[in-house]
Amino acid sequence: MPPYVPPAVAANVAKLNRSWVSKAVAVGLVNPSTLDGEDVVVLRVFAFVDQLVWPGAKRSRSEARAMEPWQSLAVNAARDAARDPATRLDSTLWIAQDGVTVTHDQAGHTDFVLSHLQSMFVAVPIGAWIAELPPNMETIFHWPREILSQTIRRTDHSSVELHVFSTIPQLATAFALCRSPLSPDDYATVKRQVSAELPATSIRVVERAGSSASPLWHELYEVPKSGLVRNPLDQRSLLDEFGPSINMLGQKTSGQDR
């Protein structure tokens, strides 16, 4: 079960005044005694739609009011997105007066816009908002968390920085940060080192070679009689799979190779 989040903390993480928690409680959106990361996302979307006034509509800010159908749909879609394994960093919540839609990639975004050229709508970066939740505010859906961090030495006395992530038991991805590509011996050392810390776990190795400003990403694996194979990876796909932690790799240390 996700950890409980006090109302003041939930409001702070959602970048809202605490009064928004009280408003959400009053309309039945959240329970103040069971707040968690999912509710933080709901609070943020609720505050957004509550202040959204469509052109031609008149509404007093101080007037007490019930939620309109399109607002309820938007809030429910936000909660669903926090639970949906299809959610990605680029996922967008589209809100219109006649309904809401969540799309997860550029093709979906484009299709929505082209099919609503004659309509009024707004876009909420729901994937990015979910990604901004701190590690202690897990939603049912979340990006993998780092479970192991180490540095290993290579035979040339340079170092490889390891960051291991996992959400699935017995399966982990080890990111190896290095200035130059791993040799077959380096690859074997990485797998041996991670396996020693995480026994009975299948290890996937992803290499980030070069500088952090212009990295080259490859998934590494061995093929009988062919040796070590490098499969190029796109950083965008890694962001979709692992979230914004990818952009933080290596930033906690002063350098990868000394």
Side-chain angles (χ1 to χ4, degrees):
M1 177 180 293
Y4 168 70
V5 182
V9 175
N12 184 59
V13 174
K15 304 175 183 178
L16 299 170
N17 185 285
R18 186 172 174 175
S19 64
W20 285 105
V21 178
S22 300
K23 291 180 180 179
V25 170
V27 295
L29 293 180
V30 298
N31 184 332
S33 63
T34 59
L35 291 172
D36 57 21
E38 186 178 299
D39 292 315
V40 171
V41 177
V42 168
L43 286 170
R44 200 166 177 181
V45 173
F46 169 60
F48 178 83
V49 298
D50 189 71
Q51 299 174 86
L52 178 61
V53 180
W54 299 104
K58 295 182 179 181
R59 191 177 66 183
S60 170
R61 282 183 175 273
S62 60
E63 178 186 355
R65 55 188 177 274
M67 292 184 68
E68 297 183 38
W70 64 271
Q71 293 173 318
S72 296
L73 289 171
V75 171
N76 289 335
R79 191 178 290 281
D80 290 342
R83 302 173 174 178
D84 189 353
T87 299
R88 295 290 182 267
L89 199 61
D90 280 343
S91 294
T92 299
L93 169 60
W94 303 91
I95 304 171
Q97 284 180 290
D98 59 352
V100 300
T101 302
V102 177
T103 56
H104 303 293
D105 53 31
Q106 190 57 52
H109 306 337
T110 301
D111 286 346
F112 177 88
V113 172
L114 291 178
S115 63
H116 290 77
L117 292 177
Q118 306 301 317
S119 306
M120 292 184 293
F121 58 83
V122 294
V124 171
I126 195 67
W129 285 8
I130 295 171
E132 290 174 8
L133 290 171
N136 63 331
M137 292 189 185
E138 301 277 9
T139 59
I140 290 177
F141 161 73
H142 58 86
W143 279 275
R145 301 298 187 195
E146 186 170 353
I147 58 174
L148 178 66
S149 179
Q150 324 186 311
T151 299
I152 62 175
R153 305 299 295 181
R154 306 171 80 172
T155 55
D156 63 0
H157 304 295
S158 65
S159 62
V160 177
E161 189 178 331
L162 293 180
H163 297 272
V164 184
F165 291 76
S166 180
T167 53
I168 303 173
Q170 284 75 56
L171 177 63
T173 298
F175 287 91
L177 281 56
C178 46
R179 293 292 183 186
S180 57
L182 298 180
S183 68
D185 286 344
D186 294 330
Y187 172 78
T189 299
V190 167
K191 294 205 70 173
R192 185 168 59 250
Q193 191 86 359
V194 177
S195 295
E197 297 290 338
L198 302 171
T201 299
S202 178
I203 309 300
R204 172 193 182 197
V205 178
V206 175
E207 172 193 83
R208 192 192 78 178
S211 68
S212 58
S214 55
L216 296 175
W217 300 88
H218 294 88
E219 181 171 357
L220 308 185
Y221 52 94
E222 287 184 306
V223 174
K225 298 183 180 181
S226 297
L228 190 61
V229 175
R230 284 180 164 78
N231 180 36
L233 294 176
D234 178 77
Q235 187 168 348
R236 182 75 257 174
S237 64
L238 289 172
L239 281 167
D240 282 341
E241 185 176 356
F242 293 92
S245 295
I246 290 297
N247 292 328
M248 304 299 291
L249 291 178
Q251 293 189 14
K252 295 181 181 179
T253 58
S254 58
Q256 290 151 269
D257 292 307
R258 296 288 187 184

